[in-house]
Amino acid sequence: MGANHAATGAAAWFAVAGSGPLMLGWYPVHSSGLLIGAAVCAGAAMLPDADHHAGTISHSLPPLSRLVTRGVAHVSGGHRHGTHSLLGILVFAALGALLGAVRVPSAIGHLAVGAGVISLLLVAYAAKALRMTSDATWLRSWLLATGVAAAITVFAPEDPTWLAVCVGLGAAVHVLGDALTTGGVPLLWPWTPDPPRWWARNRVLRRVWQSNGWGGVPVLGRTGSVREWLLAVPVSLYASYGLVVAFVGMLESASRWLPARVLAELTG
Ligand SMILES: [Zn+2]
């Protein structure tokens, strides 16, 4: 389910990039980067499904999203093929690295133009998945995506590698999420080896490595199952906790920065 993918993406970014309690701090960023990354990672966690022309996100930012979906489906071989593999995750991360490096110097510091461009789509994906926009509200989708993408262009983390980490992480948690459902994923695409006959005869084994060469650990059952929702609750709670941590961090730095500025003005 789209909303669950988006929430998982935001939660994963908070876990990896946050340094508060219950966070791993593997890729520490400033509180504003924590917030920006969560929005981008939530959208990136929808990105592998940009291979589905009738899917939720294909209508998220018309007509751009539909064009992108059609192109991605063409290149990746159709729904749940190339975008749901290790190679797909690598390609998404490489795209993040390329766009992350596109920065333009300006009077207010570097503008992360590449991050802004991809954010336009990713923010629209996340907003659609989280039902902040709908098929009927294309103008709201564009206004929201443009506004947030502009803010990301100005306030993106200084280290340009953040976009590769963020987009790669989002795509990876999407593929992991799908691998936990009954359909499975073609993780080694374009190589999708069939299991041997003895393997396919076993009822349990053939659900892990399927006869079409796809695989996974289908502990969540079908997409949209009760089990999926049971996992979605703690994930969403954790993502909400991450949002609070990011906002408190931003308030704290503003409260330090503002008096320092006033003091500097007064003392000349
Ligand atoms: Zn998917």
Side-chain angles (χ1 to χ4, degrees), residues 160-226:
T161 61
W162 78 276
L163 194 62
V165 176
C166 198
V167 174
L169 180 68
V173 291
H174 177 106
V175 174
L176 178 70
D178 278 358
L180 298 180
T181 64
T182 307
V185 293
L187 200 61
L188 302 177
W189 185 93
W191 187 47
T192 49
D194 295 343
R197 210 168 274 179
W198 64 266
W199 180 285
R201 271 198 291 272
N202 185 294
R203 221 158 46 91
V204 176
L205 293 180
R206 70 167 177 242
R207 295 177 69 183
V208 175
W209 182 8
Q210 301 169 10
S211 53
N212 60 358
W214 293 18
V217 185
V219 288
L220 296 182
R222 290 184 183 286
T223 303
S225 67
V226 174

Side-chain angles (χ1 to χ4, degrees), residues 112-126:
V113 176
V117 169
I118 195 172
S119 298
L120 197 64
L121 265 181
L122 297 184
V123 168
Y125 288 172

